[in-house]
Amino acid sequence: DFIKISLLLLLALVLFTVNLGGYDLWPADEPRYGQVAWEMISTGEYVLPHVNGQPYTEKPPLFFWLVAALSYPVGDVTPWTTRLPSVAAGIITLTFTFLMARRLFDSRTALWTCLILITMQRFWWNSRFGQIDMTLTACLTVGLYAFLRFQEKRELRWLPLFYLAATLGLYAK
């Protein structure tokens, strides 16, 4: 299973990152979200997001924090750093989809489930686009997996992961 999931995630990484930074941020969301992260880095204000100096309360801050964290080391918000959180969220979603499908069915079904998911246009697009949706999807998928594991044997050790995923989902969207 380790080899299967590793190859699957490698394929996803290639599909999600080919030419990722090769084009500008696309309106309307990507430039605005990049601007929010840029202002966080520029002003040091990470609690209340801003756009053009005005408070931006339309979305919670998790995605902007991720973009800012990836942009800070390179010194600027770029198309690559704006889209990379979505790539990571796509990989996380695939990982936990595989684990869930394997748990509910078998390894072969899990592999095919993820191969189909990778090739779905909207999933691929959202895993490459600097938008909040894939971050929320990853949080939901992790939460569903943790809840499934909790339901199987009522093992309380899975509840913290469930609650963490739910909390991050609230901070995502």
Side-chain angles (χ1 to χ4, degrees), residues 90-115:
I91 298 293
I92 290 167
T93 300
L94 283 169
T95 301
F96 282 88
T97 298
F98 182 90
L99 294 172
M100 204 170 351
R102 184 181 67 186
R103 195 135 200 102
L104 292 170
F105 304 103
D106 56 35
S107 291
R108 185 171 184 260
T109 303
L111 181 65
W112 279 106
T113 299
C114 290
L115 284 171

Side-chain angles (χ1 to χ4, degrees), residues 87-162:
V87 171
I91 298 293
I92 290 167
T93 300
L94 283 169
T95 301
F96 282 88
T97 298
F98 182 90
L99 294 172
M100 204 170 351
R102 184 181 67 186
R103 195 135 200 102
L104 292 170
F105 304 103
D106 56 35
S107 291
R108 185 171 184 260
T109 303
L111 181 65
W112 279 106
T113 299
C114 290
L115 284 171
I116 291 167
L117 185 57
I118 287 173
T119 59
M120 293 180 74
Q121 190 274 337
R122 195 62 184 185
F123 185 82
W124 173 82
W125 176 262
N126 280 333
S127 294
R128 297 178 43 85
F129 195 61
Q131 210 173 33
I132 296 167
D133 298 336
M134 192 50 70
T135 304
L136 176 63
T137 301
C139 293
L140 290 172
T141 307
V142 171
L144 284 171
Y145 178 76
F147 189 72
L148 171 68
R149 294 301 305 268
F150 167 72
Q151 285 289 40
E152 288 175 337
K153 296 181 184 174
R154 297 290 182 192
E155 293 177 349
L156 294 177
R157 66 188 177 115
W158 291 101
L159 287 181
L161 180 59
F162 171 77

Side-chain angles (χ1 to χ4, degrees), residues 17 26 42 45 52 94 109 126 136 154 164:
T17 59
W26 287 11
S42 298
E45 173 60 61
N52 298 322
L94 283 169
T109 303
N126 280 333
L136 176 63
R154 297 290 182 192
L164 175 64

Side-chain angles (χ1 to χ4, degrees), residues 20-25 30 77-84 128 130:
L20 190 67
Y23 49 96
D24 289 336
L25 298 175
E30 280 189 322
V77 175
T78 67
W80 179 265
T81 61
T82 302
R83 294 176 183 131
L84 203 52
R128 297 178 43 85

